[in-house]
Amino acid sequence: MMQINWQDLTPEQFLKEYWQKKPLLIKNAFSNFSDPVDADELAGFAMEEEIESRIISQQNKEDWQVAHGPFSAFEQFGEQDWTLLVQATNNWSAKTHDLLTPFRFIPNWRIDDVMVSFSTPGGGVGPHLDQYDVFIIQGQGKRRWQVGLPDESLKQLLPHPDLKQVSDFTPVIDEVTEPGDLLYIPPNHPHNGVALENSLNYSVGFQAPNNQELWSAFADKLLDLDAGTRRLDDPNRQLTENPEHLESKDIAQIKNFMQAQLNDETLFNNFIASFLTQCHHAMEILVPVTPITTEQLDDILSEEEIRFTPVSGIKSLIISEPYPCLYINGEAWKLEEKTFALAIKLAQSLPLTTQEIKSFTSCLLNAQLLTSVLNKGYWFIE
């Protein structure tokens, strides 16, 4: 199992001193790093309709082009100055998904996906800003990285609608990364990576929803549940002398009226757990043609050499309040005391052996939970 060689740091020190505060480069963070995908396999993903991909190329410092996949060929881009980016590669490559394991010192719900890029010499996306945290693992090849500090004067964007590029900045990190090096970049820190030779990079991105996304999704949840239909009332209304005024006490009453829904623990906790486990990118979900029954599960478990495996890229978590629930890709399973231990295993999204499953399925509730997850296509049998 991959682990980060923190060298003179610990994960606790990293979170205290660097997380969302300042960038960090750890040389040789992964000893003997082996690429989970190669350039040809990545190109194959970029030919698929359902997989989000793009190629960014440049003719000169200000002439940038963005082409969106799927792609049928790549020869037209030449041998330098372009980058192929494939979003959520971990949804299609289990080995790429394994790159998330070293970052589990941060809660699963914060992790978004692994974007993989292949760059020819001179390839990159230009100096730019991101609004989220990212760890970048250097795979094949070498890349020169420059990372700066937040700077309000960099708000002027260079002209391309698909790129969040900024003007030149003063780097605090200016290094060449080699296979196994790890670069951490906090939000709003300008950075620029330029390939010195054919290079693969693995960007572990973290989700950080903004207020608009949260409020919009919460409103959608209210509509879906037909909740929030109670109207504002004021049975203790007092005589007003200024009917043309919206008074502060009325504003406070309306705010409290709206706040009450956020304070509804059952409503909000279930909303936010569902929201945070929704997958933002396509993945390969194969639902069984014929649903698996608990009786069939017993037959399956008579085979010793099988594994129960989560679909690569699924998002899972457990909430305990107001009642225990398992969430997978936005769907909820209410848990009983007897199903909690199995739910933890499912939420950890690690393959389970026949013997591990057997330790749970003597209980009918556990068998029902497992078959439900299998029938949704979130787990499968190897």
Side-chain angles (χ1 to χ4, degrees):
M1 183 179 294
M2 285 181 60
Q3 291 184 337
I4 299 173
N5 175 10
W6 288 100
Q7 299 176 11
D8 295 330
L9 279 176
T10 65
E12 292 83 1
Q13 288 174 313
F14 168 78
L15 291 172
K16 182 178 180 180
E17 298 176 23
Y18 291 93
W19 178 254
Q20 299 210 322
K21 300 175 186 71
K22 55 185 178 180
L24 175 67
L25 174 63
I26 304 178
K27 299 290 290 182
N28 198 32
F30 299 103
S31 301
N32 303 314
F33 182 80
S34 177
D35 288 289
V37 294
D38 60 27
D40 289 338
E41 187 176 3
L42 195 68
F45 289 143
M47 293 179 174
E48 300 294 334
E49 180 75 36
E50 64 271 27
I51 301 179
E52 182 182 346
S53 62
R54 55 194 169 126
I55 287 178
I56 299 173
S57 57
Q58 65 176 125
Q59 301 300 318
N60 55 58
K61 187 174 181 180
E62 295 188 2
D63 184 13
W64 293 84
Q65 302 295 323
V66 179
H68 294 274
F71 299 97
S72 58
F74 301 91
E75 293 83 0
Q76 68 271 31
F77 297 104
E79 296 185 358
Q80 63 182 35
D81 298 332
W82 61 272
T83 293
L84 167 66
L85 302 105
V86 179
Q87 202 73 45
T89 304
N90 60 303
N91 288 7
W92 306 93
S93 163
K95 289 183 178 179
T96 302
H97 190 72
D98 289 342
L99 294 181
L100 296 176
T101 301
F103 304 99
R104 299 298 187 187
F105 61 94
I106 296 169
N108 289 355
W109 69 263
R110 267 304 243 128
I111 296 174
D112 189 11
D113 70 340
V114 183
M115 181 184 73
V116 181
S117 64
F118 169 77
S119 300
T120 58
V125 300
H128 65 286
L129 298 173
D130 291 319
Q131 304 301 312
Y132 51 84
D133 302 89
V134 62
F135 288 95
I136 301 174
I137 304 170
Q138 180 69 46
Q140 167 197 337
K142 297 180 181 180
R143 198 177 191 103
R144 180 188 177 189
W145 280 102
Q146 295 175 304
V147 186
L149 298 177
D151 184 345
E152 293 294 324
S153 70
L154 297 177
K155 284 188 175 180
Q156 182 179 1
L157 302 181
L158 295 177
H160 197 292
D162 289 341
L163 301 175
K164 301 175 182 177
Q165 293 178 331
V166 296
S167 52
D168 291 337
F169 59 87
T170 302
V172 293
I173 291 177
D174 190 345
E175 297 277 355
V176 172
T177 53
E178 300 175 295
D181 291 349
L182 177 65
L183 177 64
Y184 166 69
I185 305 173
N188 298 310
H189 283 60
H191 52 283
N192 186 27
V194 179
L196 304 181
E197 55 193 44
N198 285 351
S199 296
L200 284 165
N201 286 88
Y202 304 86
S203 299
V204 179
F206 291 76
Q207 63 174 340
N210 62 35
N211 271 317
Q212 288 183 356
E213 293 166 338
L214 288 170
W215 281 109
S216 177
F218 187 57
D220 289 341
K221 188 70 171 180
L222 295 181
L223 292 172
D224 290 343
L225 297 176
D226 198 27
T229 57
R230 185 174 79 85
R231 292 189 176 273
L232 178 71
D233 57 17
D234 50 2
N236 299 316
R237 170 66 61 189
Q238 302 294 308
L239 179 70
T240 182
E241 295 181 358
N242 301 293
E244 69 280 5
H245 288 182
L246 176 59
E247 297 183 5
S248 58
K249 63 181 180 181
D250 287 332
I251 293 174
Q253 181 188 9
I254 295 170
K255 185 185 293 185
N256 290 336
F257 176 69
M258 297 178 68
Q259 184 74 36
Q261 298 236 270
L262 291 177
N263 292 338
D264 182 330
E265 191 176 76
T266 300
L267 175 65
F268 186 80
N269 287 13
N270 284 290
F271 152 70
I272 199 62
S274 176
F275 177 84
L276 293 173
T277 54
Q278 289 172 6
C279 185
H280 308 300
H281 308 282
M283 61 172 52
E284 190 172 19
I285 301 290
L286 300 176
V287 177
V289 175
T290 303
I292 299 169
T293 65
T294 54
E295 291 78 13
Q296 290 171 320
L297 183 62
D298 287 337
D299 292 337
I300 292 168
L301 290 172
S302 65
E303 300 284 342
E304 294 296 329
E305 301 301 323
I306 62 173
R307 292 204 312 171
F308 291 76
T309 304
V311 169
S312 186
I314 62 169
K315 298 178 184 295
S316 307
L317 59 79
I318 286 176
I319 63 170
S320 299
E321 300 294 341
Y323 46 79
C325 268
L326 167 68
Y327 282 82
I328 303 177
N329 275 29
E331 295 196 54
W333 284 264
K334 191 173 181 180
L335 301 176
E336 307 289 342
E337 183 177 350
K338 292 180 179 180
T339 59
F340 198 78
L342 173 60
I344 289 175
K345 290 288 187 181
L346 295 175
Q348 290 172 342
S349 297
L350 297 174
L352 298 171
T353 65
T354 299
Q355 291 305 316
E356 287 174 306
I357 292 295
K358 279 183 176 180
S359 69
F360 293 107
T361 52
S362 59
C363 167
L364 178 60
L365 291 175
N366 280 323
Q368 290 171 337
L369 173 60
L370 183 60
T371 54
S372 178
V373 169
L374 290 168
N375 288 329
K376 289 286 185 178
Y378 296 142
W379 282 63
F380 62 95
I381 299 169
E382 291 186 282

